[in-house]
Amino acid sequence: MVRSNETAPVTGFILLGLSAHPSLEKAFFVLILLMYLVILLGNSVLILVTTLDSHLHTPMYFFLGNLSFLDICYTSSSVPLILDSFLTPRKTISFSGCAVQMFLSFAMGATECVLLSMMAFDRYVAICNPLRYPVVMSKAAYVPMAAGSWVAGSITATVQTSLAMRLPFCGDNVINHFTCEILAVLKLACADISINVISMAVANVIFLGVPVLFICFSYVFILATILRIPSAEGRKKAFSTCSAHLTVVVVFYGTILFMYGKPKSKDPLGADKQDLADKLISLFYGVVTPMLNPIIYSLRNKDVKAAVRNLVSRKPVTQ
């Protein structure tokens, strides 16, 4: 993978990670490993209880189970690579391996955007139209909604990944990131990337802009309905049914907007600091957010806590 001349094709990439900051690598290795274990344990428990407890066989917990499975897939597509980069100063990844990692990361992120909007619609129907909830959110409706989220995420990931990996990479093959993050990879292309920029802009509108607007409109109606409830206890109970989802939405989209919406530094020294900041923010987005999801839903949800207690205290059946 050493550049022999300006037109030699790239067959793999080098991931820099935090190699420029070796003092941080050991500390972050332990921290990210612990977070990853919490992600696997917390989301696996949520999947288990939403599957085994019949009281949780509702649309909201079906979506929650999908979200937990998605978080496991998303982190598993990148965290092992990140951990390896902390142990290897210049981690190499093949061209095809980079494409697979990019696809999985993009697909899981896009799917979560759509899935969170489906969960907002579920809360809207439950609070604003409770009498119609069993009809509107029947199994024949919420299963295709979840499946559609996965299909939509996979389609856009296929388009973005194929457009990116079809570009010629004939010079620098060093990715200044932990993983094959699509924006970091596009910087290395030795061809016009205007089509990639346009397609990503369209994807951002569809998978970021539209879901955010949908969620905002849903919560406007939800808030208006809650404020019309006469009793304080009724308002508190209604809001508690969507507070966990709202918290997850704020953390998820807040991190994305902060990561991609902040101004870029033009000063070389500032750019170096910004590169480090971008990497640390991507860690927060890719690791901390999936870790917080099961914690938020378990701590703020009596049904989930009761299901976990029942699962722990369940005795084996004797013949």
Side-chain angles (χ1 to χ4, degrees):
M1 291 189 300
V2 178
R3 176 170 45 174
S4 58
N5 55 62
E6 292 300 323
T7 59
V10 170
T11 58
F13 297 97
I14 297 174
L15 302 171
L16 285 185
L18 288 177
S19 58
H21 306 274
S23 60
L24 298 177
E25 289 185 319
K26 292 183 179 179
F28 271 93
F29 176 84
V30 175
L31 182 62
I32 299 303
L33 177 61
L34 291 176
M35 289 182 176
Y36 184 49
L37 294 176
V38 172
I39 290 169
L40 295 179
L41 178 61
N43 285 290
S44 295
V45 169
L46 274 180
I47 294 172
L48 196 61
V49 297
T50 55
T51 302
L52 297 180
D53 195 311
S54 60
H55 297 94
L56 301 184
H57 291 175
T58 63
M60 181 176 71
Y61 294 110
F62 178 77
F63 288 133
L64 179 57
N66 275 263
L67 182 63
S68 295
F69 180 69
L70 186 149
D71 283 339
I72 291 175
C73 294
Y74 179 74
T75 52
S76 296
S77 71
S78 59
V79 171
L81 197 61
I82 293 173
L83 292 174
D84 192 29
S85 71
F86 292 142
L87 301 177
T88 308
R90 291 172 72 86
K91 170 64 181 173
T92 60
I93 184 171
S94 66
F95 193 85
S96 58
C98 184
V100 171
Q101 196 278 323
M102 184 188 297
F103 169 82
L104 291 174
S105 178
F106 210 103
M108 297 303 106
T111 299
E112 183 159 356
C113 290
V114 181
L115 193 61
L116 288 174
S117 68
M118 297 296 100
M119 295 174 75
F121 178 74
D122 172 77
R123 293 299 83 205
Y124 162 76
V125 178
I127 293 175
C128 300
N129 296 283
L131 297 180
R132 297 189 59 204
Y133 183 78
V135 177
V136 176
M137 295 302 298
S138 63
K139 189 173 183 179
Y142 67 76
V143 171
M145 288 168 65
S149 301
W150 287 92
V151 171
S154 298
I155 290 175
T156 188
T158 300
V159 172
Q160 300 302 329
T161 303
S162 61
L163 286 176
M165 303 314 283
R166 286 173 59 189
L167 292 170
F169 298 92
C170 49
D172 192 4
N173 66 339
V174 179
I175 299 176
N176 190 16
H177 213 279
F178 298 108
T179 63
C180 288
E181 200 269 338
I182 189 167
L183 296 179
V185 173
L186 290 178
K187 291 179 181 179
L188 305 181
C190 52
D192 181 24
I193 60 170
S194 57
I195 297 298
N196 302 78
V197 172
I198 293 172
S199 65
M200 286 192 65
V202 173
N204 286 339
V205 170
I206 296 174
F207 290 94
L208 286 176
V210 173
V212 167
L213 287 176
F214 188 84
I215 291 170
C216 289
F217 279 119
S218 297
Y219 274 101
V220 166
F221 288 107
I222 288 172
L223 183 60
T225 302
I226 291 176
L227 292 177
R228 289 198 298 267
I229 298 175
S231 66
E233 184 65 26
R235 290 194 296 271
K236 182 179 178 181
K237 183 177 180 181
F239 184 74
S240 67
T241 64
C242 56
S243 59
H245 173 259
L246 186 59
T247 304
V248 170
V249 167
V250 170
V251 172
F252 179 77
Y253 284 107
T255 307
I256 292 178
L257 293 176
F258 181 77
M259 183 164 57
Y260 292 106
K262 64 182 186 304
K264 301 296 182 181
S265 174
K266 296 182 179 179
D267 177 60
L269 294 177
D272 291 339
K273 294 180 180 179
Q274 182 173 286
D275 285 340
L276 177 59
D278 288 344
K279 293 176 185 179
L280 297 181
I281 293 170
S282 71
L283 280 182
F284 181 88
Y285 167 72
V287 180
V288 178
T289 303
M291 182 188 70
L292 289 178
N293 289 350
I295 295 175
I296 292 170
Y297 275 101
S298 61
L299 292 180
R300 302 181 65 89
N301 192 299
K302 294 180 180 179
D303 293 334
V304 172
K305 288 190 286 187
V308 172
R309 285 195 298 267
N310 292 336
L311 181 65
V312 173
S313 61
R314 180 178 294 177
K315 296 180 180 179
V317 178
T318 56
Q319 298 295 331

